[in-house]
Amino acid sequence: MKNSPLPPAWIDSLVDHLAPNDLSEEIRGDLYELFTKDVQERGLSSARRRYVFNGIGFLSKTFFWRNRGPGSSIMLSGYFKMARRSLSIYKGNTAINVIGLLTGIATALVILTVIRYELSFDTFHSNADRIYRIVRVSGDDMSEYRTGISNPVPAALREEIADLANITSMQYFGSALVEVPDSTGTVIRRFREERGCAMVEPSFFEIFDFKGTRFQWISGNPKTALSEPFSVVLTKTLADKYFPNENLLGMTMRFEKKIDCKVTGVIEDFPPNTDFPFTILVSYASLHAIAGDAFNDWVSVSDDHQAYVVLAPGTTKKQMENQFARVHAEHTPKDIHESRHYLLQVLHDIHFDPRFGTYTGRTITRETLLALGLVGLFLLITGCINYINLATAQSTMRSKEIGLRKVMGSNRKNLINQFMIETFIIVLIAGIAGYGLAEILLLNLRELLNLTPNSYNLTDPFVILSLLTIILVVTILSGFYPSLVISRFNPISALKNKFNSGSAGGLSLRKILVVMQFSITQLLVVGTFIVVAQMKFFWNEDMGFNHEAILSVRLPDRDPGKRKVIADQLHAQSFVSEVSFSYTLPSGANRNRSARDIGRPEASSAKDYLIFEYQSVDPYFLNLYQIRLLAGRNLAMSDSSGNILINNSLAKNLQFKNPEDAVGNELKMGSAKVNVVGVFDDFYSNSLKQGVDNMVMAVNPRAYAVASVKLNRQKGSLSETVRQIEKIWADTYPDNVFDYQFLDENIQAFYAQEKKYAQLFQLFSLIFVVIACMGLYGLITFVVNRKGKEVAIRKVFGATIANILVLFSKEYIQLIALSFFVATPVAYYVVDSWLSNFVHHIQLHWWLFVTPAVGVLVLSLLVISAKSLRGARMNPTDMLKYE
Amino acid sequence: MSRIYLGELEELILLMVALLDKEAYGVLIKEELYKQARREITISAVHAVLHRLEEKGFVKSRMGGASAERGGRRKRLFSITAYGRSAVEELRDTRDLIWNLIAKTSPS
């Protein structure tokens, strides 16, 4: 059979698709038999032609089309026709249903895409479940979670632990000044990269093989490209940027004006869903060559120096951690290895554990993903609820139609089928439109959702399959109950229109659904209100220093002469009010930290010391940032680095009762003795999510790395000011990129993720409110229509418009009020646990819950009144004259 | 005598079904028709006629075994029903009757 010639396949599939199921087998059998005979008698091409001819012949025969199970296709098309008619009669409802469902479906698709993307991070490596990151947990109570490990650790582990399958160390720098010199050594191109620069070992690509992605080596030898010191491998994007149209292998690149590296390979860009955002991969051997001493230092750590291990199959995490502890204890003094522990974190958790963080600086907790998923689900549910409510309400209007159908011999099954098809059509329309809306939403919300253009693909089979599943499930969820209610009608009472809606099962369920819908809505609205209040708090809370109109610029070198020149030139400008040099900024997401130990003079063991943040400043720093001095004096340029200022927290933690008591005391900083000359008031060097650290300031000009420039806001436009500063800067530091940032922006960056959540939640609550109000509008429309006569009679007997408004709205106001009491405890629980992530947060006052709830209530009242007012205003005679 | 509507092609194919005796199916009928009556008709036409005959109750069908020459697909085997048999016999009798009459009235 294998070698036998094959007939044209399209005829086969044509027959299979079009023929009744019970016939296609025999037809294809006969066709095939004729074909094999034709092949022998007439040759292949003639046989194929005749096969097509014969196959097409069947399409002209009536039997071929007729016998699709008796009459079902006619019935089905009848259902569709009826559904189309009834949908076009109730246009308003159809619109409400479609809009509600399509928003729900679109949002659900978007959320699904986001969740899928977030869950896909670094899952594609071959041994992903056996890859672990070495993390550092320290402190007496094991409360400090960090990532970095000391430089000599990986090599020692590799040598001293036998059953370690593989280990790779890496150092991430992120930003880098990149220069491309020509053959004579003159720089021809200069770039400042903000992220992506890392040092990795050749074993990086053994562990992280990016299997199942499009990643591959374009040129260079994966095994050797990164083994020599000062070799660099570039991603394709950067290779094209640095060396357009050039053969770059063997070319030289210069980093930070110091280090020359040879390009030894080009790789495809890493996929977006990895927590290794590397674009410039310098060989790790270079680190040995540059900073060899660091590889004898078992104490210092940098969070960006990390190592990943692969455990041999069968080795448990615990066993390996014990081995680590053994090796660590052999190399370090007791107080280090007793307070610092190297543990393992499985690769799967890296993206989801904010305690440790990632090189991308972004993690997302699984709780957040769950919350997102719930929001998506809730949106779908509110859409379904709208549909169920409107359909059951509408069923009372359709009672005549249904009664007549039953009289004409429709059975329950027919009616259910018909109604399900109506539902299906609506959901299908909503699904298709929702798919389009999802595309638009993804396009516009990319930044909010942390997506890049190539991190999602809506034509992916998974997305299509999800969409189909959603359509199916939503159809069943929202169509089933109303179809049961409708098909249950007693034809006689339905025809007589004696149908009493008050006692119909639909109404009590409808009440429950309305309460449910508004509970979900209020939960989200209250939550959003509080999230926004917390963000406002983050903005407006006094951080203890002034951060307005301050520009910070990275100093390219440590030359005091140039520093003096630039300070003088800046001071001469009218738009500059103050200039200060320091090691780092007082606060902001983008700054350096340097931590040291300090203790009372009698301190002896590690326990007696406190960790503090060391900052080197000049005498203008306190004044520029308006940091209050509580006691003692400010530093002067003449002060040695042994004279220090401490902050109030440190004074308290060192057991000084008052700031004044601390002044003049001698302290031990590491082994050196220092004098406290002043105490400054606490300010937030961290975000308000965290508490205040201990802090010390001293004058140490060699450490100055950043200039702060306080601008005089009244003078000139901001962009013009920045341009002029840049010009002055370029005079003094001609070969450097002017790398500046406004401190305000830097501080706002603390809350970038929270801000995104706040925006997302605002968007979601808006959608929820709109859908819920639309549903309410649809419901009230029916009530107004149904109670038209009742209203007319009441008006005849003297009811005022106000009376009638109350009549209409009373029930719904009660339901919405009830939903407030359902939503509030849940909202309280959720919001409280979110706020507890932050050290500084707003108090949960009662009005934070009541204000948004009242807002929702007023809004729904408006919706209800707008519609019922029309019913109430109607002339009673118009209503009553037709009977 | 009940009225039997049987077209010329229908009658021929019904006869083929009777001739092939329970082994009749599309392709075989088509070939037999060519062999016996030099009639070349398309396979779809054979199927269409068989369907019509089955609807009228002249033949009945069952699914036969699969065979390799059909690419592993089964064939539908037709056999003539008693009603079908009586129908063709009746047709033949009618014709015979008429022929006899023709023979009598017009001597050659």
Side-chain angles (χ1 to χ4, degrees), chain A residues 852-865:
Chain A
V854 167
V856 171
L857 195 68
V858 168
L859 193 66
S860 19
L861 206 59
L862 278 178
V863 169
I864 294 173
S865 334

Side-chain angles (χ1 to χ4, degrees), chain A residues 497-747:
Chain A
N497 221 354
K498 266 170 76 181
F499 186 77
N500 185 355
S501 58
S503 67
L507 204 67
S508 60
L509 184 93
R510 207 185 309 159
K511 277 185 186 167
I512 295 170
L513 290 179
V514 168
V515 170
M516 213 166 114
Q517 192 176 31
F518 272 87
S519 302
I520 296 172
T521 308
Q522 297 215 354
L523 172 64
L524 216 75
V525 172
V526 168
T528 307
F529 191 73
I530 289 170
V531 168
V532 171
Q534 174 68 24
M535 292 306 295
K536 281 234 168 68
F537 170 80
F538 279 152
W539 279 168
N540 300 335
E541 182 69 1
D542 181 13
M543 293 190 77
F545 69 97
N546 187 311
H547 47 79
E548 272 165 40
I550 291 168
L551 187 96
S552 67
V553 196
R554 199 194 307 239
L555 286 172
D557 59 41
R558 306 277 155 100
D559 185 342
K562 285 186 188 171
R563 221 157 47 211
K564 173 102 177 53
V565 172
I566 198 96
D568 288 347
Q569 282 183 340
L570 285 173
H571 272 303
Q573 307 299 321
S574 64
F575 49 80
V576 174
S577 70
E578 204 119 23
V579 180
S580 169
F581 296 104
S582 56
Y583 167 67
T584 187
L585 297 169
S587 187
N590 183 12
R591 67 189 279 263
N592 296 318
R593 281 159 201 277
S594 161
R596 296 191 193 175
D597 297 333
I598 197 164
R600 290 271 202 164
E602 59 272 20
S604 53
S605 76
K607 271 190 192 134
D608 303 331
Y609 283 96
L610 294 167
I611 293 182
F612 72 91
E613 189 189 327
Y614 181 81
Q615 160 79 304
S616 170
V617 298
D618 64 10
Y620 315 106
F621 191 82
L622 291 189
N623 193 30
L624 190 149
Y625 286 106
Q626 294 171 22
I627 297 166
R628 287 177 290 276
L629 201 62
L630 298 178
R633 63 169 177 88
N634 190 2
L635 294 166
M637 218 54 209
S638 54
D639 274 314
S640 73
S641 56
N643 289 346
I644 60 167
L645 295 177
I646 63 175
N647 71 347
N648 201 15
S649 285
L650 182 56
K652 274 189 200 138
N653 290 334
L654 287 169
Q655 314 302 328
F656 294 111
K657 274 211 186 71
N658 300 309
E660 289 80 13
D661 300 341
V663 178
N665 272 283
E666 191 173 82
L667 293 173
K668 243 163 102 180
M669 203 156 86
S671 54
K673 295 223 162 32
V674 291
N675 282 310
V676 178
V677 300
V679 178
F680 58 90
D681 202 2
D682 286 343
F683 62 87
Y684 293 111
S685 59
N686 301 310
S687 72
L688 293 171
K689 295 185 262 183
Q690 287 155 294
V692 174
D693 288 341
N694 298 322
M695 198 173 288
V696 169
M697 289 183 191
V699 174
N700 181 9
R702 272 176 310 161
Y704 292 163
V706 63
S708 310
V709 183
K710 173 90 178 170
L711 302 178
N712 206 339
R713 260 295 162 79
Q714 276 78 42
K715 307 274 180 182
S717 79
L718 205 56
S719 56
E720 176 60 19
T721 309
V722 171
R723 214 183 52 77
Q724 292 199 34
I725 294 178
E726 182 170 6
K727 215 166 129 256
I728 296 168
W729 201 262
D731 289 342
T732 314
Y733 300 105
D735 292 336
N736 286 281
V737 180
F738 180 63
D739 189 17
Y740 75 97
Q741 191 177 24
F742 280 99
L743 186 59
D744 266 337
E745 288 168 8
N746 202 345
I747 290 173

Side-chain angles (χ1 to χ4, degrees), chain A residues 796-821:
Chain A
V796 169
F797 281 100
T800 61
I801 287 182
N803 292 142
I804 288 161
L805 281 185
V806 171
L807 171 78
F808 282 133
S809 39
K810 201 173 73 192
E811 184 189 341
Y812 290 99
I813 297 304
Q814 280 168 356
L815 292 182
I816 292 165
L818 179 63
S819 68
F820 171 70
F821 291 103

Side-chain angles (χ1 to χ4, degrees), chain A residues 1 22-23 25-26 28-30 32-34 36-37 54 57-58 61 63 66, chain B residues 25-27 30-31 43-45 47-48 51 55 68-71 73-74 76:
Chain A
M1 283 304 292
D22 53 329
L23 290 185
E25 182 175 4
E26 56 188 276
R28 284 187 53 191
D30 274 2
Y32 189 80
E33 202 177 326
L34 284 174
T36 44
K37 283 184 179 140
N54 283 335
F58 278 96
K61 300 290 182 271
F63 81 91
R66 203 172 38 204
Chain B
Y25 71 95
V27 175
K30 177 178 148 71
E31 283 166 358
I43 183 73
S44 49
H47 276 251
H51 272 279
E55 262 170 38
E69 69 205 80
R70 295 169 62 80
R73 282 175 280 265
R74 293 175 300 165
R76 186 182 291 274

Side-chain angles (χ1 to χ4, degrees), chain A residues 36-344:
Chain A
T36 44
K37 283 184 179 140
D38 282 343
V39 169
Q40 284 161 13
E41 289 166 15
R42 299 163 190 262
L44 183 61
S45 63
S46 165
R48 286 174 70 94
R49 206 164 46 239
R50 286 170 66 86
Y51 189 85
V52 173
F53 179 71
N54 283 335
I56 299 279
F58 278 96
L59 303 186
S60 65
K61 300 290 182 271
T62 40
F63 81 91
F64 189 84
W65 300 103
R66 203 172 38 204
N67 283 355
R68 291 177 170 252
S72 69
S73 69
I74 295 167
M75 212 146 150
L76 208 62
S77 71
Y79 284 146
F80 273 102
K81 194 180 279 174
M82 293 314 299
R84 208 185 59 227
R85 284 178 190 163
S86 69
L87 290 182
S88 57
I89 291 174
Y90 303 101
K91 278 199 192 71
N93 263 331
T94 310
I96 290 175
N97 282 329
V98 168
I99 292 171
L101 287 171
L102 97 83
T103 330
I105 290 174
T107 321
L109 280 180
V110 168
I111 287 174
L112 213 62
T113 310
V114 171
I115 292 179
R116 183 157 174 262
Y117 172 65
E118 298 288 358
L119 289 180
S120 72
F121 267 71
D122 289 307
T123 49
F124 31 70
H125 307 297
S126 293
N127 297 316
D129 50 337
R130 289 195 282 123
I131 302 175
Y132 291 80
R133 174 165 70 177
I134 305 179
V135 293
R136 188 175 94 240
V137 179
S138 34
D140 292 335
D141 50 353
M142 305 272 277
S143 62
E144 198 195 333
Y145 298 89
R146 303 308 283 261
T147 47
I149 60 173
S150 311
N151 284 11
V153 173
L157 297 179
R158 184 180 292 148
E159 272 167 35
E160 295 170 33
I161 299 177
D163 49 349
L164 193 64
N166 207 343
I167 179 166
T168 189
S169 1
M170 60 191 78
Q171 170 79 44
Y172 187 63
F173 297 100
S175 64
L177 181 70
V178 182
E179 288 167 326
V180 180
D182 63 10
S183 51
T184 62
T186 323
V187 174
I188 48 173
R189 284 187 285 271
R190 178 178 295 131
F191 304 92
R192 173 102 220 158
E193 297 299 338
E194 285 307 323
R195 57 187 72 83
C197 181
M199 284 182 174
V200 299
E201 291 186 302
S203 55
F204 177 82
F205 289 103
E206 293 165 17
I207 295 178
F208 301 103
D209 55 7
F210 293 93
K211 208 172 179 176
T213 68
R214 286 192 311 186
F215 174 80
Q216 59 175 21
W217 281 72
I218 297 171
S219 59
N221 183 341
K223 289 203 171 58
T224 58
L226 287 169
S227 37
E228 294 296 312
F230 306 114
S231 344
V232 59
V233 170
L234 297 174
T235 58
K236 191 167 181 308
T237 309
L238 285 194
D240 291 344
K241 178 171 159 191
Y242 298 157
F243 303 97
N245 313 317
E246 283 175 63
N247 179 16
L248 69 172
L249 284 192
M251 299 289 272
T252 302
M253 291 171 60
R254 186 169 297 153
F255 293 100
E256 303 296 332
K257 292 178 169 281
K258 291 198 285 260
I259 299 161
D260 281 358
C261 291
K262 208 172 78 180
V263 180
T264 51
V266 179
I267 50 175
E268 199 69 60
D269 291 4
F270 285 180
N273 50 345
T274 178
D275 282 315
F276 301 96
F278 303 162
T279 50
I280 303 169
L281 296 92
V282 179
S283 60
Y284 188 79
S286 324
L287 193 61
H288 282 273
I290 300 164
D293 292 348
F295 287 85
N296 298 317
D297 181 355
W298 280 78
V299 179
S300 303
V301 283
S302 147
D303 280 346
D304 290 329
H305 183 262
Q306 302 186 359
Y308 289 78
V309 298
V310 180
L311 300 193
T315 316
T316 65
K317 180 171 169 256
K318 193 81 215 130
Q319 289 167 346
M320 192 50 70
E321 284 171 350
N322 291 339
Q323 302 248 50
F324 284 2
R326 176 177 59 80
V327 174
H328 192 220
E330 282 167 15
H331 292 271
T332 52
K334 196 160 180 278
D335 59 329
I336 292 286
H337 67 249
E338 275 185 355
S339 71
R340 182 190 289 177
H341 308 269
Y342 289 130
L343 303 177
L344 289 174

